[in-house]
Amino acid sequence: MIYTYITIEGGIGAGKTTLAKKFAHQLNARLILEEFEDNPFLAKFYADPERFAFPLELSFLANRYKQLQRILLRPDMFKPSVVADYSFYKSLVFAENTLPSDELKVFRQFFFILSQQVPQPSLIIYLYTTPSRLKQQILQRGRVFEQNISESYLESIQQGYLSLLKQIQNIPILVIDMKGIDFVKNEKDYQFLYSLIEIPHEKGLKWISYP
């Protein structure tokens, strides 16, 4: 296998977890799924973002760090590869979108200290999806605390991701335009996505469109 640690990124509702599960199953890889449901600040943040943004982002940072350390630093000889539905960079993207400058400065200090102790992905895949489609998929999956997320918020998160990913030069990054792709219902679409992780890619950001 060319890539031993693949992360799937994208906006809220982009299909990261579903694709990560499918890849991990086909690759016989260990699967890392973000542990967000037990976060005590998440629902509070959506109800009152200004008050709960800082504790939410710090708790996510700590939880992601502990989870990635626990799994990535304990190799499994029977499953040497890993697929995750998030990268550690996610913490920085959301913090930069939600925190005021003084809190962000503190957060970034913690982030860069911890990021040096977490293995970097060998491939990042970003599912580029329009905010309107993200909103539709969010409504369909029906998580109560997500229902009031605005398209403008989804757009700002997406722009934050793209801005950050453009700065990463030491990892191959595939930004996949998901227009016309339904990898859940269409096996051909899924095989197209899977084919992308079977070939080497140059480091840096590369846009991919469905042929």
Side-chain angles (χ1 to χ4, degrees), residues 28-210:
N28 189 36
R30 286 181 291 164
L31 177 65
I32 300 178
L33 300 180
E34 184 170 19
E35 299 169 343
F36 65 89
E37 293 181 344
D38 294 331
N39 192 304
F41 298 106
L42 187 57
K44 296 177 182 178
F45 166 76
Y46 284 122
D48 189 350
E50 185 173 338
R51 179 180 178 187
F52 291 102
F54 191 58
L56 174 72
E57 299 305 340
L58 279 181
S59 63
F60 267 135
L61 180 68
N63 290 341
R64 290 167 184 150
Y65 172 77
K66 289 189 294 184
Q67 184 184 29
L68 293 176
Q69 281 263 311
R70 184 177 72 246
I71 298 174
L72 295 175
L73 297 183
R74 296 179 182 177
D76 184 334
M77 62 181 298
F78 299 105
K79 291 187 175 184
S81 56
V82 175
V83 179
D85 71 348
Y86 72 95
S87 71
F88 198 63
Y89 292 109
K90 181 175 186 175
S91 296
L92 189 57
V93 171
F94 277 79
E96 289 184 341
N97 189 74
T98 59
L99 298 181
S101 58
D102 55 343
E103 293 179 349
L104 179 59
K105 183 177 180 179
V106 175
F107 182 92
R108 288 173 64 89
Q109 291 175 336
F110 282 110
F111 173 83
F112 286 114
I113 290 172
L114 296 179
S115 65
Q116 297 176 30
Q117 304 174 49
V118 175
Q120 292 214 350
S122 51
L123 176 67
I124 297 175
I125 293 177
Y126 183 86
L127 305 180
Y128 181 84
T129 311
T130 63
S132 59
R133 183 176 175 184
L134 290 174
K135 181 65 176 181
Q136 181 182 16
Q137 291 172 180
I138 288 170
L139 294 175
Q140 288 175 348
R141 72 183 181 186
R143 292 174 184 163
V144 175
F145 57 84
E146 293 180 341
Q147 297 308 294
N148 293 324
I149 296 177
S150 67
E151 290 188 21
S152 61
Y153 177 75
L154 296 171
E155 174 66 19
S156 65
I157 291 295
Q158 180 140 272
Q159 292 306 313
Y161 265 116
L162 295 177
S163 177
L164 177 64
L165 294 176
K166 289 176 182 177
Q167 300 174 43
I168 301 172
Q169 301 295 321
N170 62 334
I171 301 172
I173 301 170
L174 305 182
V175 178
I176 303 174
D177 188 344
M178 296 300 289
K179 182 179 180 179
I181 298 178
D182 187 341
F183 64 86
V184 175
K185 297 180 180 179
N186 191 323
E187 180 63 19
K188 182 180 177 181
D189 291 356
Y190 169 70
Q191 290 302 327
F192 164 70
L193 296 178
Y194 185 79
S195 70
L196 297 173
I197 66 175
E198 294 186 299
I199 58 176
H201 299 279
E202 295 182 358
K203 295 178 181 179
L205 188 147
K206 178 181 180 181
W207 281 82
I208 303 288
S209 297
Y210 197 43

Side-chain angles (χ1 to χ4, degrees), residues 19 26 130:
L19 185 59
Q26 190 161 353
T130 63

